[in-house]
Amino acid sequence: MAVLSRVLRLRVAGVDRFAVRSFRSSSSSWRNSEIDPKAAAASQQLGEKALPLQRDVKDRNVQWVFLGCPGVGKGTYASKLSTLLGVPHIATGDLVRDELSSSGPLAKQLEEVVNQGKLVSDEIIINLLSKRLEASSAKGETGFILDGFPRTIRQAEILEGVTEIDLVINLKLREEALLAKCLGRRICSECGGNYNVASIDIKAEEGDPGMYMAPLLPPPLCTSKLISRSDDTEEVVKRRLRIYNEMSQPVEEFYRSRGKLLEFDLPGGIPESWPKLLRALNLEDHDDKESAAA
C-alpha cells in the first residue's frame, strides 16, 4: 500500500501512472496484475520500487469500496466488515475530521468547506488518503475497505489507475430516514464514540414497506457528553444529499459498467440489515451467530 499511496499523489500531479491489467473477480478466478514498463521506469527515477500494485488474491485481502449518501451507515457496515475480514477500514470523512482537529495547515480551509456543506477537493482527499495508506503499510496491513472515496469520476479513475477494486457496495436508504439519521448523529466529546438518538418509525403506505430503525444510544457514562457535528444541520444535510445525488450517478455507472457494483437497499436498522448484507456478500459472521444463540 506504500506504493499505492505514493502513486495516488503522483497521478494527481500528472506523472505517468502504473498500468494495471484489468481483471474480473469471482469466487474462483483471478488474474495477476502487471506494471507498465514505462511507468516502472518513471517510478524508479522518482525513487519508487518497481513493485506490482496487485498481487494474487491468495497474497492479499479484499479491496472494497462503500458508496452511499451521507448518513446512510457506510461507516457502521464498513467497520463491521473490517473487523470480520481483518482489513483496515479507511473512512475519508474521519480523515477530514482528524485533520480539522489537528490544527494543521489544511484545518482552516477544510473547516470552511465542511461548514458550507461542500465536497472537499480531490487533491486534499487524495493527500489525506495517501498518508493513511502509508500508515497502514507501515503496520503491515494489506487490503482495505474504503468509505467515502471515490466520490467523483476523476477519483474513481485515479483509484482504478493504481489498484484493482474487487467490489463496490452501494448502500441505499429512503431520504426521509437519511435526513432523520443525519440530524440524530451524536459524538461523545470524551471517548469519541458515535451514536444516534433518532428513533425512525416509518409506517407502510401505498405499497411502500414500513421501516423501523432503533436509536443507537450511548452508555450512561457518555450520555451527558454528547455533541452534534457542526455540519449536521438540516440545511447543510439537505445540501449534502443534493450534491451527493448529483455526483453519485456517474460514479455508480462507472462501477456498474465494470460489473463491480452491488446495490443494497437497507431494510431497517443493523439487526435487520446486517444479516441480509452478509448473505448478499456470501459471508458469515460466526461471532454474531454465537451471540444470537447465547
Side-chain angles (χ1 to χ4, degrees):
M1 280 197 290
V3 174
L4 170 57
S5 64
R6 296 189 191 107
V7 176
L8 277 172
R9 292 198 300 270
L10 296 176
R11 181 68 182 90
V12 175
V15 179
D16 284 344
R17 71 185 182 186
F18 284 101
V20 180
R21 179 188 292 173
S22 174
F23 69 89
R24 294 296 179 189
S25 61
S26 69
S27 58
S28 60
S29 64
W30 296 74
R31 292 205 301 273
N32 292 331
S33 61
E34 293 180 341
I35 292 179
D36 184 298
K38 293 181 179 179
S43 70
Q44 287 178 327
Q45 292 175 1
L46 293 165
E48 302 285 358
K49 294 181 180 180
L51 297 176
L53 295 175
Q54 288 284 61
R55 292 177 290 178
D56 188 270
V57 69
K58 295 178 182 178
D59 298 324
R60 72 157 171 83
N61 286 313
V62 301
Q63 296 185 170
W64 288 358
V65 166
F66 264 85
L67 298 180
C69 287
V72 75
K74 296 188 299 295
T76 298
Y77 294 102
S79 179
K80 287 175 73 66
L81 283 171
S82 168
T83 301
L84 180 65
L85 299 173
V87 298
H89 166 214
I90 303 176
T92 53
D94 290 342
L95 299 182
V96 169
R97 285 185 284 276
D98 289 344
E99 186 68 26
L100 280 169
S101 62
S102 71
S103 300
L106 291 177
K108 187 173 182 180
Q109 180 182 353
L110 282 172
E111 183 177 8
E112 181 179 347
V113 171
V114 170
N115 288 340
Q116 292 178 359
K118 297 180 180 178
L119 291 178
V120 180
S121 71
D122 290 350
E123 286 74 17
I124 292 176
I125 288 294
I126 291 168
N127 182 279
L128 296 175
L129 179 58
S130 296
K131 291 179 181 178
R132 177 62 178 84
L133 289 172
E134 286 179 350
S136 291
S137 180
K139 291 187 288 186
E141 296 173 333
T142 64
F144 51 75
I145 295 179
L146 290 182
D147 161 13
F149 184 95
R151 288 189 175 182
T152 66
I153 283 291
R154 181 171 182 251
Q155 290 178 355
E157 290 173 343
I158 290 171
L159 190 59
E160 185 180 68
V162 295
T163 194
E164 179 74 11
I165 297 302
D166 306 326
L167 180 68
V168 178
I169 304 163
N170 188 26
L171 297 183
K172 293 187 173 183
L173 185 66
R174 59 182 72 180
E175 187 168 339
E176 55 187 311
L178 273 172
L179 183 58
K181 280 193 66 182
C182 287
L183 297 180
R185 289 193 293 196
R186 299 291 186 272
I187 302 170
C188 177
S189 59
E190 187 169 297
C191 73
N194 290 282
Y195 307 100
N196 201 299
V197 299
S199 180
I200 301 170
D201 190 1
I202 302 173
K203 305 301 181 184
E205 58 179 19
E206 297 181 1
D208 290 330
M211 174 181 289
Y212 176 73
M213 303 181 76
L216 180 60
L217 299 177
L221 288 175
C222 297
T223 301
S224 63
K225 305 178 183 68
L226 296 184
I227 58 174
S228 300
R229 283 170 35 175
S230 61
D231 57 331
D232 276 349
T233 64
E234 185 170 353
E235 180 183 359
V236 171
V237 169
K238 286 184 176 179
R239 185 184 304 123
R240 276 209 311 265
L241 293 178
R242 186 179 67 253
I243 292 173
Y244 179 84
N245 286 327
E246 290 172 354
M247 301 188 70
S248 66
Q249 297 300 322
V251 178
E252 291 171 14
E253 184 54 38
F254 180 89
Y255 288 114
R256 185 180 293 111
S257 66
R258 287 158 174 76
K260 297 183 179 182
L261 189 70
L262 171 65
E263 309 266 15
F264 185 80
D265 290 296
L266 293 165
I270 296 173
E272 298 83 14
S273 299
W274 177 240
K276 292 182 179 180
L277 178 59
L278 289 178
R279 285 198 293 273
L281 295 170
N282 197 27
L283 295 173
E284 289 187 357
D285 187 345
H286 296 290
D287 291 338
D288 197 52
K289 284 186 176 181
E290 290 174 3
S291 298

